[in-house]
Amino acid sequence: MRNVGSFITVLSNGNVLSPQNLGQRDLLLAGGMIADITDRISPCAQIHVERIDVEGCYVVPGFIDAHVHLIGAGGEGGVTSRTPELMLGQLIRAGVTTVVGCLGVDGTSRHLTALLAKARALEEEGITSHIYTGAYQVPTPTITGSVRNDLILIDKVIGCGEIAISDHRSSQPTKEEMQKLAAEARLGGILSGKAGVLHLHVGNGERRLAMLFDIVRETEIPISQLTPTHLNRNTALLDEGIRFGRAGGMIDITTSLEPTPDNERVISASEAVHYCIAAGVPIENITMSSDANGSMPVFDEAGRLRSLRVAGIDSLHGALKRVAAEGLPLSDALKLITWNPSKALRLQPRKGTLAVGSDADIVVLDDRLDIQYVFAKGQCLMERGRLRARSAFEHEA
Ligand code: ZN
């Protein structure tokens, strides 16, 4: 249901992290944007303004989750293991106000047109949504017949992905195929004024990021065009990610990947972030995403499925809390899910920051970093920890 709140809101006395620490400030939200950030915004008798006192809280940019299976994914355990669709309330509870949807391993029974419709629904319901065209396999599915045309002709398409490499579930694409795909994404991005990234699912295979280093070395395609994810699968892969990040690439850590008894090689998102920073990757080159509603299968040495679970979108906020608790200043931790993905996806200056003129996408965190308020394009979608908006047919929790 569409939420109709106040058109003008003042968030007063919060500690504003833009994500830079601006200190205690008032924010004026009007027309879906941030109209002012200043010491004190005085009441105006002529205009109805909703004033919310958030003293003692952090006021931060809405989170950007750049890898979410909005219509579900998975299926590695057969058709009963296809994962479910994500609903608005789940995104809001997780503080996510900008989301990028993608297909996954199953490019047969999942369709980009369904993903596009879902993204449009979420936009109508109040948040900001984009999608990647494609799925794991190469040649990859598209809506119009080519990656380039999808980028140019379809508003919500901002890149191509998730294309699988170094994984037994990939289509085993050749380097030449990947070069062509990266070129398509780049040209489509240039001609549409979008990021046009090639977003890569990297599996447990020993080739790891070798193909990406080859593409950067052998073609004119800049490293910023390639955004590999799931790099915290194992230490050897993360070490290659560190090399990629130090060379100027953006590296993405998956927050729903957690070490489990049957998969001890995984490095938690927080540990991976600290490890990358200690190894010299600029924090500006690291992002985190949830992989929400993707399946998290574990295969044995022979390639047999051992276990399967569904990734949660709340892992993004959980990882933020943990990264901060483990010693990263909150303003830096926030960059991983606000400023940095916004830069990688060319969503600045409207997204990923709190500045005059940027969209009023805001999360208010209490002193324990729990989410109290969520605003998306100026609308209050969560108030004192309670949802004010849900998708149609979404059950009240
Ligand atoms: Zn993936």
Side-chain angles (χ1 to χ4, degrees), residues 274-326:
H274 286 282
Y275 183 75
C276 289
I277 292 170
V281 180
I283 192 164
E284 283 71 23
N285 288 32
I286 308 172
T287 57
M288 296 196 301
S289 64
S290 71
D291 198 8
N293 285 35
S295 62
M296 311 296 276
V298 177
F299 296 91
D300 66 15
E301 300 290 306
R304 287 180 298 248
L305 185 66
R306 285 175 58 185
S307 65
L308 195 67
R309 62 186 180 88
V310 179
I313 189 140
D314 53 346
S315 64
L316 193 75
H317 172 232
L320 172 81
K321 288 174 71 170
R322 201 157 142 198
V323 171
E326 291 175 3

Short mmCIF file of all heavy atoms in Angstrom, two decimals, residues 274-326:
data_model
loop_
_atom_site.label_atom_id
_atom_site.label_comp_id
_atom_site.label_asym_id
_atom_site.label_seq_id
_atom_site.Cartn_x
_atom_site.Cartn_y
_atom_site.Cartn_z
N HIS A 274 37.74 -6.19 7.14
CA HIS A 274 38.92 -5.82 7.92
C HIS A 274 40.20 -6.38 7.28
O HIS A 274 41.23 -5.72 7.23
CB HIS A 274 38.78 -6.30 9.37
CG HIS A 274 37.80 -5.47 10.17
ND1 HIS A 274 38.14 -4.23 10.68
CD2 HIS A 274 36.52 -5.68 10.52
CE1 HIS A 274 37.09 -3.72 11.32
NE2 HIS A 274 36.09 -4.58 11.23
N TYR A 275 40.10 -7.59 6.77
CA TYR A 275 41.25 -8.25 6.12
C TYR A 275 41.68 -7.47 4.87
O TYR A 275 42.88 -7.23 4.64
CB TYR A 275 40.82 -9.68 5.76
CG TYR A 275 41.85 -10.58 5.15
CD1 TYR A 275 42.87 -11.14 5.91
CD2 TYR A 275 41.79 -10.92 3.79
CE1 TYR A 275 43.80 -12.01 5.34
CE2 TYR A 275 42.71 -11.78 3.21
CZ TYR A 275 43.71 -12.33 3.98
OH TYR A 275 44.61 -13.18 3.42
N CYS A 276 40.72 -7.05 4.06
CA CYS A 276 41.02 -6.30 2.83
C CYS A 276 41.65 -4.95 3.15
O CYS A 276 42.62 -4.53 2.51
CB CYS A 276 39.75 -6.08 2.01
SG CYS A 276 39.11 -7.57 1.25
N ILE A 277 41.10 -4.27 4.15
CA ILE A 277 41.64 -2.95 4.51
C ILE A 277 43.08 -3.10 5.03
O ILE A 277 43.96 -2.35 4.64
CB ILE A 277 40.72 -2.26 5.55
CG1 ILE A 277 39.38 -1.90 4.90
CG2 ILE A 277 41.39 -1.00 6.11
CD1 ILE A 277 38.32 -1.44 5.88
N ALA A 278 43.29 -4.11 5.87
CA ALA A 278 44.64 -4.34 6.41
C ALA A 278 45.62 -4.67 5.30
O ALA A 278 46.82 -4.37 5.40
CB ALA A 278 44.59 -5.47 7.44
N ALA A 279 45.12 -5.25 4.21
CA ALA A 279 46.00 -5.63 3.09
C ALA A 279 46.18 -4.49 2.09
O ALA A 279 46.80 -4.67 1.05
CB ALA A 279 45.43 -6.86 2.38
N GLY A 280 45.62 -3.33 2.40
CA GLY A 280 45.90 -2.15 1.58
C GLY A 280 44.86 -1.81 0.53
O GLY A 280 45.09 -0.96 -0.33
N VAL A 281 43.69 -2.46 0.57
CA VAL A 281 42.62 -2.05 -0.36
C VAL A 281 41.98 -0.77 0.17
O VAL A 281 41.56 -0.73 1.33
CB VAL A 281 41.53 -3.15 -0.49
CG1 VAL A 281 40.44 -2.70 -1.46
CG2 VAL A 281 42.14 -4.47 -0.93
N PRO A 282 41.91 0.29 -0.65
CA PRO A 282 41.23 1.50 -0.17
C PRO A 282 39.78 1.17 0.18
O PRO A 282 39.12 0.44 -0.58
CB PRO A 282 41.30 2.46 -1.38
CG PRO A 282 42.33 1.89 -2.29
CD PRO A 282 42.37 0.42 -2.04
N ILE A 283 39.30 1.70 1.28
CA ILE A 283 37.92 1.36 1.68
C ILE A 283 36.93 1.79 0.61
O ILE A 283 35.88 1.17 0.45
CB ILE A 283 37.58 1.96 3.06
CG1 ILE A 283 36.27 1.34 3.56
CG2 ILE A 283 37.52 3.45 3.05
CD1 ILE A 283 35.98 1.52 4.99
N GLU A 284 37.26 2.81 -0.15
CA GLU A 284 36.38 3.28 -1.22
C GLU A 284 36.18 2.23 -2.31
O GLU A 284 35.28 2.35 -3.13
CB GLU A 284 36.93 4.57 -1.86
CG GLU A 284 36.73 5.83 -1.03
CD GLU A 284 37.60 5.88 0.21
OE1 GLU A 284 38.65 5.19 0.23
OE2 GLU A 284 37.23 6.57 1.18
N ASN A 285 37.04 1.20 -2.34
CA ASN A 285 36.94 0.17 -3.38
C ASN A 285 36.25 -1.10 -2.88
O ASN A 285 36.31 -2.13 -3.54
CB ASN A 285 38.32 -0.18 -3.92
CG ASN A 285 38.87 0.94 -4.78
OD1 ASN A 285 38.58 2.10 -4.53
ND2 ASN A 285 39.65 0.61 -5.79
N ILE A 286 35.64 -1.02 -1.70
CA ILE A 286 34.95 -2.20 -1.15
C ILE A 286 33.47 -1.90 -0.99
O ILE A 286 33.09 -0.83 -0.51
CB ILE A 286 35.54 -2.58 0.23
CG1 ILE A 286 37.07 -2.70 0.16
CG2 ILE A 286 34.92 -3.89 0.73
CD1 ILE A 286 37.73 -2.87 1.52
N THR A 287 32.64 -2.85 -1.43
CA THR A 287 31.20 -2.75 -1.20
C THR A 287 30.71 -4.03 -0.53
O THR A 287 31.40 -5.06 -0.57
CB THR A 287 30.42 -2.55 -2.52
OG1 THR A 287 30.73 -3.64 -3.41
CG2 THR A 287 30.78 -1.24 -3.20
N MET A 288 29.53 -3.95 0.08
CA MET A 288 28.88 -5.16 0.61
C MET A 288 27.48 -5.25 0.00
O MET A 288 26.81 -4.23 -0.21
CB MET A 288 28.76 -5.10 2.14
CG MET A 288 30.07 -5.06 2.88
SD MET A 288 29.94 -5.46 4.67
CE MET A 288 28.81 -4.21 5.29
N SER A 289 27.04 -6.47 -0.28
CA SER A 289 25.67 -6.71 -0.72
C SER A 289 25.19 -8.00 -0.07
O SER A 289 25.99 -8.81 0.41
CB SER A 289 25.59 -6.79 -2.25
OG SER A 289 26.32 -7.91 -2.72
N SER A 290 23.86 -8.20 -0.07
CA SER A 290 23.31 -9.32 0.73
C SER A 290 23.18 -10.63 -0.03
O SER A 290 23.20 -11.69 0.58
CB SER A 290 21.94 -8.93 1.28
OG SER A 290 21.00 -8.89 0.23
N ASP A 291 22.98 -10.56 -1.36
CA ASP A 291 22.62 -11.76 -2.13
C ASP A 291 21.28 -12.31 -1.66
O ASP A 291 21.00 -13.51 -1.75
CB ASP A 291 23.72 -12.84 -2.02
CG ASP A 291 23.64 -13.90 -3.11
OD1 ASP A 291 22.83 -13.74 -4.04
OD2 ASP A 291 24.39 -14.89 -3.01
N ALA A 292 20.43 -11.42 -1.14
CA ALA A 292 19.19 -11.86 -0.50
C ALA A 292 18.31 -12.69 -1.42
O ALA A 292 18.22 -12.43 -2.62
CB ALA A 292 18.39 -10.64 -0.04
N ASN A 293 17.67 -13.67 -0.82
CA ASN A 293 16.78 -14.62 -1.46
C ASN A 293 17.45 -15.49 -2.52
O ASN A 293 16.79 -16.22 -3.24
CB ASN A 293 15.51 -13.94 -1.99
CG ASN A 293 14.56 -13.61 -0.84
OD1 ASN A 293 15.01 -13.27 0.25
ND2 ASN A 293 13.27 -13.71 -1.07
N GLY A 294 18.76 -15.39 -2.58
CA GLY A 294 19.51 -16.39 -3.34
C GLY A 294 19.61 -17.64 -2.49
O GLY A 294 19.43 -17.60 -1.27
N SER A 295 19.89 -18.75 -3.13
CA SER A 295 20.11 -19.97 -2.35
C SER A 295 21.58 -20.03 -1.97
O SER A 295 22.43 -19.48 -2.66
CB SER A 295 19.73 -21.20 -3.17
OG SER A 295 20.55 -21.29 -4.30
N MET A 296 21.86 -20.65 -0.86
CA MET A 296 23.25 -20.81 -0.40
C MET A 296 23.55 -22.31 -0.35
O MET A 296 23.56 -22.91 0.73
CB MET A 296 23.43 -20.17 0.98
CG MET A 296 22.89 -18.76 1.12
SD MET A 296 23.73 -17.56 0.08
CE MET A 296 25.12 -17.15 1.06
N PRO A 297 23.78 -22.92 -1.50
CA PRO A 297 24.01 -24.36 -1.50
C PRO A 297 25.44 -24.69 -1.10
O PRO A 297 26.36 -23.92 -1.33
CB PRO A 297 23.77 -24.76 -2.97
CG PRO A 297 24.15 -23.54 -3.74
CD PRO A 297 23.85 -22.35 -2.85
N VAL A 298 25.61 -25.83 -0.46
CA VAL A 298 26.95 -26.35 -0.18
C VAL A 298 27.07 -27.68 -0.92
O VAL A 298 26.23 -28.57 -0.75
CB VAL A 298 27.17 -26.55 1.33
CG1 VAL A 298 28.55 -27.17 1.59
CG2 VAL A 298 27.05 -25.22 2.06
N PHE A 299 28.11 -27.79 -1.76
CA PHE A 299 28.36 -29.02 -2.52
C PHE A 299 29.59 -29.73 -1.96
O PHE A 299 30.51 -29.07 -1.48
CB PHE A 299 28.60 -28.69 -4.00
CG PHE A 299 27.41 -28.09 -4.69
CD1 PHE A 299 27.23 -26.71 -4.73
CD2 PHE A 299 26.46 -28.89 -5.32
CE1 PHE A 299 26.13 -26.14 -5.36
CE2 PHE A 299 25.36 -28.34 -5.96
CZ PHE A 299 25.20 -26.96 -5.97
N ASP A 300 29.60 -31.07 -2.04
CA ASP A 300 30.80 -31.78 -1.59
C ASP A 300 31.82 -31.85 -2.73
O ASP A 300 31.61 -31.30 -3.81
CB ASP A 300 30.44 -33.17 -1.03
CG ASP A 300 29.88 -34.10 -2.11
OD1 ASP A 300 30.04 -33.79 -3.31
OD2 ASP A 300 29.28 -35.13 -1.73
N GLU A 301 32.94 -32.52 -2.46
CA GLU A 301 34.04 -32.59 -3.43
C GLU A 301 33.59 -33.16 -4.77
O GLU A 301 34.10 -32.79 -5.82
CB GLU A 301 35.17 -33.46 -2.87
CG GLU A 301 35.77 -32.96 -1.57
CD GLU A 301 36.56 -31.68 -1.76
OE1 GLU A 301 37.45 -31.69 -2.60
OE2 GLU A 301 36.28 -30.68 -1.08
N ALA A 302 32.62 -34.05 -4.73
CA ALA A 302 32.14 -34.70 -5.95
C ALA A 302 31.06 -33.88 -6.65
O ALA A 302 30.50 -34.32 -7.66
CB ALA A 302 31.61 -36.09 -5.62
N GLY A 303 30.76 -32.70 -6.11
CA GLY A 303 29.76 -31.85 -6.74
C GLY A 303 28.34 -32.20 -6.35
O GLY A 303 27.38 -31.73 -6.96
N ARG A 304 28.18 -33.03 -5.28
CA ARG A 304 26.82 -33.37 -4.82
C ARG A 304 26.34 -32.34 -3.80
O ARG A 304 27.12 -31.89 -2.96
CB ARG A 304 26.81 -34.77 -4.17
CG ARG A 304 26.94 -35.91 -5.17
CD ARG A 304 26.92 -37.24 -4.43
NE ARG A 304 28.05 -37.34 -3.52
CZ ARG A 304 29.07 -38.20 -3.68
NH1 ARG A 304 29.06 -39.05 -4.67
NH2 ARG A 304 30.08 -38.22 -2.83
N LEU A 305 25.05 -32.00 -3.89
CA LEU A 305 24.47 -31.01 -2.98
C LEU A 305 24.40 -31.58 -1.56
O LEU A 305 23.87 -32.65 -1.33
CB LEU A 305 23.06 -30.64 -3.46
CG LEU A 305 22.36 -29.53 -2.68
CD1 LEU A 305 23.07 -28.20 -2.86
CD2 LEU A 305 20.91 -29.42 -3.12
N ARG A 306 24.97 -30.84 -0.60
CA ARG A 306 24.93 -31.29 0.80
C ARG A 306 23.89 -30.54 1.61
O ARG A 306 23.22 -31.11 2.47
CB ARG A 306 26.31 -31.10 1.45
CG ARG A 306 27.31 -32.14 1.00
CD ARG A 306 28.70 -31.86 1.54
NE ARG A 306 28.73 -31.80 3.00
CZ ARG A 306 29.83 -31.46 3.68
NH1 ARG A 306 30.94 -31.14 3.04
NH2 ARG A 306 29.80 -31.43 4.99
N SER A 307 23.78 -29.22 1.38
CA SER A 307 22.78 -28.46 2.13
C SER A 307 22.41 -27.20 1.35
O SER A 307 23.13 -26.79 0.43
CB SER A 307 23.33 -28.07 3.51
OG SER A 307 24.42 -27.18 3.37
N LEU A 308 21.29 -26.62 1.74
CA LEU A 308 20.77 -25.46 1.00
C LEU A 308 20.01 -24.57 1.98
O LEU A 308 19.20 -25.06 2.76
CB LEU A 308 19.82 -25.97 -0.08
CG LEU A 308 19.39 -25.04 -1.21
CD1 LEU A 308 20.58 -24.71 -2.10
CD2 LEU A 308 18.31 -25.71 -2.05
N ARG A 309 20.29 -23.29 1.95
CA ARG A 309 19.48 -22.36 2.74
C ARG A 309 19.28 -21.09 1.94
O ARG A 309 19.89 -20.91 0.87
CB ARG A 309 20.13 -22.08 4.11
CG ARG A 309 21.47 -21.43 4.04
CD ARG A 309 22.14 -21.31 5.42
NE ARG A 309 23.44 -20.66 5.25
CZ ARG A 309 23.62 -19.34 5.26
NH1 ARG A 309 22.61 -18.52 5.45
NH2 ARG A 309 24.83 -18.83 5.09
N VAL A 310 18.44 -20.20 2.44
CA VAL A 310 18.12 -18.97 1.72
C VAL A 310 18.82 -17.79 2.38
O VAL A 310 18.82 -17.67 3.61
CB VAL A 310 16.59 -18.74 1.70
CG1 VAL A 310 16.26 -17.45 0.96
CG2 VAL A 310 15.89 -19.90 1.05
N ALA A 311 19.40 -16.92 1.56
CA ALA A 311 20.11 -15.75 2.09
C ALA A 311 19.12 -14.69 2.54
O ALA A 311 18.09 -14.47 1.89
CB ALA A 311 21.04 -15.19 1.01
N GLY A 312 19.44 -14.01 3.63
CA GLY A 312 18.55 -13.00 4.18
C GLY A 312 19.01 -11.58 3.89
O GLY A 312 20.21 -11.30 3.93
N ILE A 313 18.05 -10.70 3.63
CA ILE A 313 18.42 -9.31 3.34
C ILE A 313 18.86 -8.58 4.61
O ILE A 313 19.61 -7.61 4.55
CB ILE A 313 17.26 -8.56 2.65
CG1 ILE A 313 17.73 -7.20 2.15
CG2 ILE A 313 16.05 -8.39 3.57
CD1 ILE A 313 17.23 -6.79 0.85
N ASP A 314 18.43 -9.08 5.77
CA ASP A 314 18.83 -8.44 7.03
C ASP A 314 20.33 -8.60 7.30
O ASP A 314 20.88 -7.91 8.15
CB ASP A 314 18.01 -8.98 8.20
CG ASP A 314 18.06 -10.50 8.29
OD1 ASP A 314 18.50 -11.14 7.30
OD2 ASP A 314 17.67 -11.04 9.34
N SER A 315 20.99 -9.48 6.54
CA SER A 315 22.43 -9.68 6.76
C SER A 315 23.23 -8.42 6.43
O SER A 315 24.33 -8.23 6.95
CB SER A 315 22.94 -10.86 5.92
OG SER A 315 22.83 -10.58 4.54
N LEU A 316 22.69 -7.54 5.58
CA LEU A 316 23.42 -6.32 5.20
C LEU A 316 23.57 -5.40 6.42
O LEU A 316 24.67 -4.96 6.76
CB LEU A 316 22.67 -5.59 4.07
CG LEU A 316 23.46 -4.49 3.37
CD1 LEU A 316 24.50 -5.08 2.43
CD2 LEU A 316 22.53 -3.57 2.57
N HIS A 317 22.47 -5.15 7.09
CA HIS A 317 22.49 -4.32 8.30
C HIS A 317 23.28 -5.03 9.41
O HIS A 317 24.05 -4.39 10.14
CB HIS A 317 21.04 -4.05 8.73
CG HIS A 317 20.91 -3.38 10.06
ND1 HIS A 317 20.11 -3.85 11.06
CD2 HIS A 317 21.51 -2.27 10.56
CE1 HIS A 317 20.20 -3.07 12.12
NE2 HIS A 317 21.05 -2.09 11.85
N GLY A 318 23.13 -6.35 9.49
CA GLY A 318 23.88 -7.12 10.49
C GLY A 318 25.38 -6.96 10.29
O GLY A 318 26.14 -6.79 11.26
N ALA A 319 25.80 -6.99 9.03
CA ALA A 319 27.24 -6.85 8.75
C ALA A 319 27.73 -5.45 9.07
O ALA A 319 28.84 -5.26 9.56
CB ALA A 319 27.51 -7.20 7.28
N LEU A 320 26.88 -4.45 8.81
CA LEU A 320 27.25 -3.07 9.17
C LEU A 320 27.54 -2.97 10.67
O LEU A 320 28.57 -2.42 11.09
CB LEU A 320 26.12 -2.10 8.79
CG LEU A 320 26.32 -0.67 9.29
CD1 LEU A 320 27.26 0.09 8.37
CD2 LEU A 320 25.01 0.06 9.46
N LYS A 321 26.63 -3.53 11.45
CA LYS A 321 26.80 -3.47 12.91
C LYS A 321 28.09 -4.18 13.33
O LYS A 321 28.83 -3.70 14.18
CB LYS A 321 25.60 -4.14 13.60
CG LYS A 321 24.34 -3.32 13.52
CD LYS A 321 23.13 -4.04 14.08
CE LYS A 321 23.16 -4.17 15.58
NZ LYS A 321 21.85 -4.67 16.10
N ARG A 322 28.33 -5.33 12.70
CA ARG A 322 29.49 -6.12 13.11
C ARG A 322 30.80 -5.46 12.68
O ARG A 322 31.78 -5.45 13.44
CB ARG A 322 29.36 -7.52 12.52
CG ARG A 322 30.17 -8.51 13.26
CD ARG A 322 29.65 -9.91 13.06
NE ARG A 322 30.80 -10.81 12.98
CZ ARG A 322 30.76 -12.03 12.49
NH1 ARG A 322 29.63 -12.50 12.02
NH2 ARG A 322 31.83 -12.78 12.45
N VAL A 323 30.82 -4.91 11.46
CA VAL A 323 32.04 -4.22 11.00
C VAL A 323 32.37 -3.07 11.94
O VAL A 323 33.53 -2.85 12.29
CB VAL A 323 31.85 -3.70 9.55
CG1 VAL A 323 33.01 -2.81 9.13
CG2 VAL A 323 31.73 -4.86 8.58
N ALA A 324 31.33 -2.34 12.37
CA ALA A 324 31.55 -1.21 13.27
C ALA A 324 31.97 -1.72 14.66
O ALA A 324 32.88 -1.17 15.28
CB ALA A 324 30.29 -0.36 13.36
N ALA A 325 31.29 -2.77 15.14
CA ALA A 325 31.62 -3.31 16.47
C ALA A 325 33.05 -3.83 16.51
O ALA A 325 33.69 -3.81 17.56
CB ALA A 325 30.65 -4.42 16.84
N GLU A 326 33.54 -4.28 15.35
CA GLU A 326 34.89 -4.84 15.32
C GLU A 326 35.94 -3.78 14.97
O GLU A 326 37.05 -4.12 14.53
CB GLU A 326 34.93 -6.06 14.38
CG GLU A 326 34.14 -7.22 14.99
CD GLU A 326 34.00 -8.44 14.09
OE1 GLU A 326 34.57 -8.44 12.98
OE2 GLU A 326 33.32 -9.40 14.52
#
